[in-house]
Amino acid sequence: MADLPNMHDAEPIPESARQEIDRLLQSGDLFRYTAPEDAPVSLLEAEFAEMMGVKYALAVSSCSAALFLSLKSMGLPRGARVLIPAFTFAAVPSSIVHADCVPVLCEVDHSYRINLADFEARLDDVDAVMISHMRGHTSDMDRILELADARGLPVIEDAAHSLGTLWNGRKIGTLGRVGCFSFQSYKMINGGEGGILLTDDADLIARAVILSGAYEHNWKKHPVLHDAFSKWQNQLPLYNLRMSNLSAVVIRPQLAELDRRVRDGRRNHDHVAARIDQSPWITVPPSLPQEERAPDSLQFSLCDMTDGDVDAFVDTAKAMGVSIQVFGRSKDNARAFWNWGFLGPAPDLPKTRAMLSRACDCRLPARLTVAECDAVADVILSAIDHVMRPPVQALA
Ligand SMILES: *Cc1c(COP(=O)(O)O)cnc(C)c1O
């Protein structure tokens, strides 16, 4: 059995970043709008837009900032209602509150995917939809886009943790009117902090660029449709959510690593998933047929176990060296909707609550070897055995 790997550290930043970092340190040129052209942030935007096959990209300080700017750039009025899945990270409803809008939560099934009946039932009462592809699990985007389009509702994709995922061969984050990604350290590309917003909508990007902090005529440094700006010059508040050049030079050389990370992450995930899925106490929700996942972590659900069994499993796995969180049972978990006290009393969402109380979350970085993944699977299976199969009494 291989030793247990370090499951928390990120990959080293590619060596090629050093030269650019040195150049920036020498010149002190850290602000994206100082250089007349080709600032690292601008180059990142151009490369990311090209890689994703969309017209416009705006790099910002976080994915949360990108989500907030998406809402603000659509001109949603104060109090507009935004539908989100109840299984997401607290930053998502937070971005909606920050934009003076009201999050409306819909049920998520044991599959970790949006319950479409509940989604549809709430659609007539909302002004926009924000689909969070939580932990890279994709809900039925064909149906979601069809239902939203039929009502003229804009769809924002929170693809923070889904970079590299495909849906019917199309890149996740490019299906809705806007897509937002994260470069926070636990995501596929690690800039420490950072985010990027993608859209093909010239007017939306014009507003987002100004709102993000392109004051005066700094918007002229963006390769976007400049006609759109005459309408918005001096008409929008500046939130100053820009990205620094230093972040961009750390992020840019990682774009070339993405395909490998996606491939290795999927290999690791599918290997462990296939092994632990053999246990009668575990199910790993399958991907949908339209979906090609890009996982850098592992989620699985415990079945037919009591709360006590679930907690004992988590403790046992931890003692054996693998840290697992059950979203709905670890204290103050930011992915359990009832902990979002800033929204007021928690809504009644029994399906999502039941799912979260049995859904396990375990990091599984792309850099692990298959042997290391086997060591992780061994621990998960041993911990389950330990908890669910009490030792047989020795015969006297
Ligand atoms: C990480 C994450 C976010 C927030 O991203 P930041 O860049 O840290 O703001 C939002 N949604 C999901 C699904 C995430 O995983």
Side-chain angles (χ1 to χ4, degrees):
M1 180 167 143
D3 285 341
L4 278 171
N6 175 324
M7 291 169 68
H8 221 76
D9 290 1
E11 270 184 33
I13 305 301
E15 189 58 34
S16 58
R18 273 175 206 270
Q19 209 183 338
E20 270 296 281
I21 292 172
D22 268 351
R23 190 185 66 77
L24 286 185
L25 296 188
Q26 280 295 329
S27 64
D29 184 14
L30 302 180
F31 181 53
R32 69 163 297 170
Y33 291 127
T34 302
E37 58 194 358
D38 290 344
V41 178
S42 303
L43 295 175
L44 169 65
E45 287 168 345
E47 290 160 357
F48 202 85
E50 154 108 41
M51 176 180 95
M52 299 300 285
V54 297
K55 283 194 189 144
Y56 310 115
L58 175 66
V60 290
S61 54
S62 68
C63 181
S64 302
L67 294 169
F68 164 76
L69 289 172
S70 303
L71 294 165
K72 282 289 176 196
S73 306
M74 285 175 177
L76 289 171
R78 185 177 289 271
R81 293 162 62 82
V82 182
L83 188 56
I84 58 170
F87 175 41
T88 184
F89 182 53
V92 174
S94 301
S95 73
I96 297 171
V97 170
H98 205 37
D100 298 318
C101 299
V102 179
V104 176
L105 278 50
C106 80
E107 287 270 37
V108 173
D109 288 325
H110 273 291
S111 62
Y112 304 159
R113 288 165 176 82
I114 289 171
N115 178 296
L116 289 169
D118 193 53
F119 177 82
E120 186 171 2
R122 294 177 196 268
L123 264 191
D124 289 324
D125 195 27
V126 299
D127 304 289
V129 173
M130 187 180 276
I131 300 296
S132 197
H133 307 298
M134 183 57 174
R135 287 290 188 272
H137 299 281
T138 318
S139 296
D140 185 344
M141 288 305 288
D142 294 339
R143 187 72 187 132
I144 285 169
L145 291 169
E146 184 187 351
L147 289 167
D149 283 352
R151 291 162 180 81
L153 296 172
V155 174
I156 300 167
E157 286 182 87
D158 164 24
H161 214 152
S162 262
L163 183 58
T165 303
L166 300 178
W167 178 261
N168 289 324
R170 293 172 64 198
K171 295 188 165 72
I172 275 293
T174 69
L175 308 181
R177 178 133 169 241
V178 194
C180 301
F181 295 87
S182 175
F183 301 125
Q184 185 266 345
S185 288
Y186 299 161
K187 313 301 158 98
M188 202 54 106
I189 289 184
N190 170 18
E193 300 282 1
I196 199 161
L197 175 161
L198 297 181
T199 187
D200 282 333
D201 184 324
D203 197 53
L204 194 148
I205 198 73
R207 278 179 282 181
V209 162
I210 295 176
L211 291 163
S212 76
Y215 61 91
E216 296 167 353
H217 291 174
N218 279 316
W219 53 261
K220 289 180 180 156
K221 293 180 179 168
H222 287 263
V224 297
L225 205 64
H226 287 176
D227 295 353
F229 287 88
S230 54
K231 193 158 60 176
W232 298 114
Q233 183 77 55
N234 301 339
Q235 300 308 311
L236 297 170
L238 305 170
Y239 294 105
N240 285 11
L241 299 166
R242 296 171 301 247
M243 178 182 277
S244 143
N245 279 339
L246 207 43
S247 301
V249 299
V250 170
I251 292 166
R252 285 181 61 214
Q254 294 181 59
L255 299 185
E257 307 293 318
L258 180 62
D259 285 350
R260 175 190 53 80
R261 289 183 189 172
V262 168
R263 204 167 48 239
D264 292 354
R266 192 183 296 151
R267 173 202 66 199
N268 289 351
H269 173 276
D270 292 353
H271 183 78
V272 177
R275 282 197 57 202
I276 64 173
D277 214 13
Q278 303 295 314
S279 165
W281 309 105
I282 290 177
T283 53
V284 183
S287 29
L288 296 178
Q290 299 94 324
E291 189 187 7
E292 265 183 78
R293 301 194 60 229
D296 59 6
S297 65
L298 171 71
Q299 289 75 43
F300 56 94
S301 298
L302 301 173
C303 331
D304 302 320
M305 288 168 62
T306 65
D307 285 350
D309 294 337
V310 170
D311 295 344
F313 164 71
V314 169
D315 292 344
T316 308
K318 183 153 187 71
M320 293 176 169
V322 173
S323 174
I324 291 167
Q325 284 194 329
V326 176
F327 295 109
R329 293 201 59 78
S330 75
K331 188 168 157 42
D332 295 325
N333 193 300
R335 300 146 203 93
F337 65 86
W338 54 88
N339 289 329
W340 304 338
F342 54 87
L343 296 184
D348 187 28
L349 296 163
K351 289 189 172 68
T352 313
R353 187 180 279 271
M355 179 276 279
L356 290 169
S357 70
R358 290 296 177 270
C360 298
D361 190 28
C362 176
R363 283 174 62 77
L364 199 66
R367 63 176 165 72
L368 304 195
T369 64
V370 173
E372 289 171 330
C373 290
D374 270 323
V376 174
D378 288 342
V379 166
I380 294 173
L381 292 169
S382 308
I384 280 278
D385 267 2
H386 183 83
V387 172
M388 299 310 290
R389 202 188 296 151
V392 180
Q393 289 277 303
L395 291 177

